[in-house]
Amino acid sequence: MNILVCDDEPLARERLSRLVLATGHRVVGQACNGLEALDMVRQHQPDIVFLDIRMPEMDGIQCAEQLTQLDNPPAVIFVTAFDQHAIDAFRTHAIGYLLKPVSREDLSAVLQRAARLNAAQISHLRVLDNPGAKPVRNHIAARTHRGVELIPIDSIYYFLADQKYVTIRHAGGTVLIDETLKELETEFGDRFIRIHRNALLAIPYLEGLEMVATGQYQVRFRGIPERLAVSRRHLPQLREKMQTL
């Protein structure tokens, strides 16, 4: 993939560029602020832009908002020393959020996720054209041992509630968030269906329904071996939904 690196610190730009090259990708340019990054994006048409957040003239959040207005916007990955910007970051529909100093392992992981996004998905990351509409959230911010990670909604198999936290099972593993199932069901009800009082299932990953005992059922997923129990209360709704798939 072709990548543009934007950071106001020359040493940080050079280090990140070396890491990108070491992962087998191409660095098409380096920018020192958001304004310069916008010009270089128009010139080089990169697949991905790595953006620092705190920069003079135009910061990374402002630059990302401008990039979403392009006809063919690049994917954005934020690289910053400050994790308090995660909420603003996912509102710009960034596909990744790395904390400095970036390790080669974390960089490789976020680039692998980016490579799995097809053109249609990347174009869907743009903010809605209607300025009065609420932006559609395509990622969920989760705090992990690596800092703050943005989990693409399309990569999530299920949400599972456990006391005060919710576990997200996604293509890259599992993370914990402090949102509620009710909030997630309200926001993503077109993609997820409740199968238990403590579980929401991603409809696109539903492979089948199987009986494990008299009156007791569980679901199978495409791509992962886990099974989740289906409560009797939610079984009719799930069966009805499966008839439409």
Side-chain angles (χ1 to χ4, degrees):
M1 292 183 290
N2 292 329
I3 295 173
L4 174 68
V5 175
C6 180
D7 195 303
D8 63 324
E9 299 179 4
L11 292 179
R13 289 198 304 271
E14 290 295 335
R15 180 179 184 276
L16 183 55
S17 295
R18 289 196 302 270
L19 287 175
V20 168
L21 292 172
T23 62
H25 299 282
R26 180 187 178 200
V27 176
V28 296
Q30 296 183 18
C32 64
N33 58 53
L35 288 175
E36 188 173 355
L38 288 174
D39 289 338
M40 298 185 76
V41 165
R42 296 185 181 99
Q43 179 182 354
H44 298 291
Q45 297 293 308
D47 301 302
I48 295 174
V49 177
F50 280 101
L51 281 176
D52 187 20
I53 291 184
R54 292 189 176 181
M55 296 183 292
E57 297 189 54
M58 177 183 284
D59 65 29
I61 299 294
Q62 293 170 324
C63 179
E65 290 171 347
Q66 292 292 317
L67 289 173
T68 62
Q69 305 304 314
L70 300 178
D71 291 336
N72 295 295
V76 169
I77 297 171
F78 286 105
V79 183
T80 179
F82 307 96
D83 66 3
Q84 68 266 31
H85 299 292
I87 301 302
D88 291 333
F90 81 70
R91 284 175 179 160
T92 69
H93 301 280
I95 66 168
Y97 190 103
L98 297 173
L99 290 179
K100 297 178 180 178
V102 177
S103 71
R104 182 170 177 175
E105 292 74 18
D106 289 348
L107 178 66
S108 295
V110 77
L111 287 175
Q112 287 173 6
R113 290 199 300 272
R116 288 195 294 264
L117 290 173
N118 59 36
Q121 288 172 311
I122 290 176
S123 66
H124 186 63
L125 298 178
R126 282 178 268 177
V127 175
L128 298 179
D129 291 333
N130 180 2
K134 182 180 179 180
V136 177
R137 187 160 58 142
N138 294 295
H139 296 72
I140 290 181
R143 188 180 297 274
T144 71
H145 67 283
R146 293 178 296 191
V148 177
E149 186 174 350
L150 299 180
I151 310 300
I153 296 300
D154 289 345
S155 76
I156 297 173
Y157 295 102
Y158 60 79
F159 298 106
L160 188 64
D162 181 15
Q163 297 182 12
K164 60 183 287 189
Y165 294 104
V166 168
T167 296
I168 297 178
R169 174 62 164 102
H170 63 101
T174 60
V175 293
L176 295 177
I177 59 173
D178 59 2
E179 302 184 42
T180 69
L181 277 189
K182 183 61 177 177
E183 293 169 341
L184 295 166
E185 184 178 25
T186 299
E187 184 173 1
F188 304 114
D190 60 335
R191 183 177 176 86
F192 292 83
I193 185 171
R194 190 179 285 268
I195 60 171
H196 197 279
R197 63 179 177 80
N198 68 347
L200 294 175
L201 160 76
I203 298 169
Y205 290 114
L206 173 60
E207 183 176 69
L209 180 67
E210 57 189 33
M211 180 184 290
V212 293
T214 303
Q216 298 180 9
Y217 290 84
Q218 64 184 14
V219 291
R220 300 191 311 273
F221 292 87
R222 294 188 179 96
I224 57 173
E226 288 99 315
R227 303 287 195 269
L228 288 184
V230 181
S231 70
R232 293 184 179 182
R233 175 184 176 186
H234 295 97
L235 182 60
Q237 181 185 9
L238 178 61
R239 281 175 164 164
E240 181 180 349
K241 185 64 179 181
M242 291 178 67
Q243 295 298 319
T244 66
L245 299 179

